[in-house]
Amino acid sequence: GISASNVSKRFKRCGKAYLKKLLTRSLSEYDFIALFLDGKTYAKDGIVIAMGITIEGRKVIIGMEQMNTENSRSVGQFFDKLIERGLKYEQGLLCVLDGAKGFTKAVEDKLKGHAFIQRCQQHKKENVVSYLPQGLQKTYRLRLMQAYEQTLYPQAKAALNAISNELDRVNPSAAASLKEGMEETLTLHRLGLSKELRRSFSSTNCIESVLSQVGQFTDKVDRWRNGRHIQEWVASSLAHIEPNLH
């Protein structure tokens, strides 16, 4: 006995409320030690989502912004909004990124001297092996994984350099891909984090899982009317997902 139009109107009201709460809630009460940043594409628009990890291990969706993920200026303005809302970073913040240049530049510009950038090792492995013929991909994927599993920074760096030198002869393009941003993939090793923590913070899997869950709701939408429509759906999805994050 409930009409579709009434359900739609109620959903719109809830979507607006969820979006307002997500974009305005204070961040000053949270003691974040890590921040994940990633984006999802809707039609021709991109939605970037930031998720923080508190010192207690709690996952908190701290914001979202509609933008082009490669645009460092818009990502920087997103960080300005988060800082205005109370994001604490002065004691150091581990930023786990997928390697997008806009993300990296914005973090370096806005969190100068306080950010430790950990580039996703999984993205790096797949970027490198994508240059190789099919018959070599499995071998080098395994070798890169073993290099990153080294406990100490000197051993991990030496293993990656050995692979890079070998790739210089096999495929210079793959070698160049490995060298680009290599140090940022070893940040956790330089910080001396335990193997257990490195497993959680060495890749963007943490936030990609959130984006995948968002997609279970938003990917069913056939037509996006405008940017506000997209934002309200994403905000509603995040509000539903966040309480169940472990």
Side-chain angles (χ1 to χ4, degrees), residues 2 35-36 42 48 55 63 71 85 99 119 124 146 154-155 159 172 205 237 239:
I2 301 175
L35 181 145
F36 287 80
Y42 293 94
V48 172
I55 192 68
N71 187 336
R85 287 168 49 204
R119 191 160 171 176
K124 174 57 71 177
Q146 291 171 340
Q155 286 85 341
N205 289 349
S237 303

Side-chain angles (χ1 to χ4, degrees), residues 31 77 88 129 197 237:
D31 186 6
Q77 292 171 352
K88 301 174 185 176
V129 302
L197 287 175
S237 303

Side-chain angles (χ1 to χ4, degrees), residues 7-61:
V7 172
S8 179
K9 289 176 183 177
R10 181 170 181 179
F11 180 80
K12 288 178 182 178
R13 289 197 299 271
C14 291
K16 290 178 182 178
Y18 287 138
L19 180 61
K20 182 179 180 180
K21 181 179 178 180
L22 178 62
L23 299 183
T24 60
R25 71 176 176 183
S26 173
L27 302 177
S28 59
E29 64 186 89
Y30 301 104
D31 186 6
F32 292 113
I33 52 92
L35 181 145
F36 287 80
L37 204 64
D38 206 353
K40 184 173 174 62
T41 301
Y42 293 94
K44 296 181 180 180
D45 287 307
I47 293 288
V48 172
I49 296 173
M51 181 176 71
I53 309 294
T54 69
I55 192 68
E56 299 86 10
R58 179 184 172 191
K59 295 178 181 177
V60 180
I61 306 298

Side-chain angles (χ1 to χ4, degrees), residues 12-199:
K12 288 178 182 178
R13 289 197 299 271
C14 291
K16 290 178 182 178
Y18 287 138
L19 180 61
K20 182 179 180 180
K21 181 179 178 180
L22 178 62
L23 299 183
T24 60
R25 71 176 176 183
S26 173
L27 302 177
S28 59
E29 64 186 89
Y30 301 104
D31 186 6
F32 292 113
I33 52 92
L35 181 145
F36 287 80
L37 204 64
D38 206 353
K40 184 173 174 62
T41 301
Y42 293 94
K44 296 181 180 180
D45 287 307
I47 293 288
V48 172
I49 296 173
M51 181 176 71
I53 309 294
T54 69
I55 192 68
E56 299 86 10
R58 179 184 172 191
K59 295 178 181 177
V60 180
I61 306 298
I62 62 178
M64 56 171 275
E65 191 85 347
Q66 187 173 351
M67 69 175 84
N68 179 342
T69 60
E70 291 295 334
N71 187 336
S72 62
R73 177 175 295 181
S74 56
V75 181
Q77 292 171 352
F78 179 39
F79 269 103
D80 287 337
K81 293 177 182 178
L82 297 180
I83 293 170
E84 287 175 4
R85 287 168 49 204
L87 176 65
K88 301 174 185 176
Y89 63 91
E90 293 84 357
Q91 294 187 23
L93 193 63
L94 178 68
C95 298
V96 186
L97 311 174
D98 64 5
K101 290 182 172 57
F103 288 169
T104 301
K105 188 175 187 307
V107 168
E108 292 174 342
D109 290 346
K110 298 300 179 178
L111 308 181
K112 291 179 180 177
H114 303 287
F116 298 87
I117 296 176
Q118 171 61 43
R119 191 160 171 176
C120 177
Q121 294 174 358
Q122 187 64 32
H123 278 82
K124 174 57 71 177
K125 284 185 286 188
E126 295 306 315
N127 289 344
V128 172
V129 302
S130 68
Y131 289 95
L132 301 173
Q134 198 70 32
L136 293 176
Q137 289 188 5
K138 183 177 180 180
T139 299
Y140 279 96
R141 187 180 285 111
L142 177 61
R143 290 187 59 189
L144 287 167
M145 182 181 71
Q146 291 171 340
Y148 284 125
E149 285 180 348
Q150 295 293 320
T151 302
L152 301 177
Y153 169 77
Q155 286 85 341
K157 181 67 178 292
L160 290 176
N161 282 334
I163 297 172
S164 176
N165 293 336
E166 187 176 314
L167 286 175
D168 272 327
R169 299 186 296 274
V170 175
N171 187 316
S173 296
S177 177
L178 178 56
K179 293 173 186 175
E180 189 270 322
M182 182 193 292
E183 281 296 325
E184 291 178 348
T185 68
L186 294 172
T187 299
L188 300 182
H189 287 81
R190 290 200 307 274
L191 292 175
L193 267 68
S194 67
K195 183 178 180 180
E196 290 76 15
L197 287 175
R198 290 208 311 271
R199 186 180 298 117

